[in-house]
Amino acid sequence: MRPSEIAALRAADCRLPEEGWGELILAGSRPEVGSGGTDDGESYEQRGLKRRARRATRPVPIPPVLTAMLREHIEAYGTAEDGRLFRAAKGGRVRSTEYCELWDAAREKALSEAEAATPLADVPYSLRHAGVSLWINSGVDPVEVARRAGHSLTVLFRFYAKILRGQQSLANQLIEKGLSGDT
């Protein structure tokens, strides 16, 4: 998910079964734009999904571990008055400065000093890139990866083509399997 999609995520958008895969029905975003950039003086805007019709939705399957984490989060913290899962202490939007400070602290704790000195996972958006990269490297069809990420295939291949390099051996194995009729 994009950070603005996470900010807009509501409990009603989540299908969180007790076991197995869940699903998020992404329906909007709340990008942080600064109070000078909005008509109502808020620091964010309510928008539809990026590059989609205003009321379009995007269903995204989520693995059992994330399903369980979201269930636990809702149980422990509840939701904002409008149903959003993630909110600041007084119910407002979690500001990017707040989650970036937490991200920096988590990075220092999780990474070695040498790793922390590199651009590795330097911003929270790195999680999105890591997720999309994992799907690609796991062999998920690029059309499905693009759909889940909310990308076009053109965007997916433009930004993630480097991940596909060096997989000639795997490609050869798949082609041999196809040629032998073992599909």
Side-chain angles (χ1 to χ4, degrees):
M1 295 175 66
R2 294 175 176 92
S4 61
E5 293 168 343
I6 293 168
L9 186 64
R10 300 170 304 129
D13 302 329
C14 303
R15 309 292 178 263
L16 306 172
E18 292 287 337
E19 293 182 19
W21 282 71
E23 184 176 54
L24 303 178
I25 308 297
L26 306 182
S29 67
R30 292 170 58 113
E32 191 170 327
V33 294
S35 58
T38 62
D39 293 335
D40 60 8
E42 292 289 344
S43 62
Y44 62 88
E45 286 186 329
Q46 300 267 46
R47 295 184 186 168
L49 297 172
K50 189 174 182 179
R51 293 184 177 38
R52 294 183 186 242
R54 177 102 173 119
R55 301 205 185 282
T57 61
R58 185 173 90 240
V60 179
I62 57 172
V65 65
L66 181 54
T67 299
M69 288 171 68
L70 289 176
R71 289 177 61 77
E72 291 170 13
H73 176 83
I74 293 169
E75 186 176 312
Y77 302 105
T79 63
E81 287 183 18
D82 62 0
R84 282 177 297 113
L85 265 59
F86 306 109
R87 63 192 187 284
K90 294 184 180 179
R93 185 187 199 282
V94 177
R95 299 178 53 84
S96 62
T97 53
E98 294 166 325
Y99 67 73
C100 285
E101 287 173 8
L102 289 171
W103 181 260
D104 290 343
R107 225 177 141 260
E108 285 181 28
K109 199 169 202 173
L111 301 177
S112 70
E113 193 174 318
E115 290 169 330
T118 72
L120 176 66
D122 58 347
V123 294
Y125 208 85
S126 298
L127 287 177
R128 179 172 163 77
H129 291 296
V132 172
S133 299
L134 174 71
W135 299 340
I136 292 168
N137 285 328
S138 296
V140 176
D141 183 280
V143 173
E144 179 64 9
V145 171
R147 186 192 69 74
R148 289 182 183 206
H151 287 315
S152 67
L153 279 173
T154 302
V155 168
L156 182 76
F157 287 127
R158 182 182 318 135
F159 291 100
Y160 295 94
K162 60 188 168 283
I163 295 166
L164 300 172
R165 287 189 200 120
Q167 296 195 21
Q168 292 87 351
S169 178
L170 175 61
N172 291 347
Q173 290 172 11
L174 292 171
I175 291 167
E176 282 183 25
K177 187 177 177 182
L179 288 172
S180 69
D182 293 339
T183 57

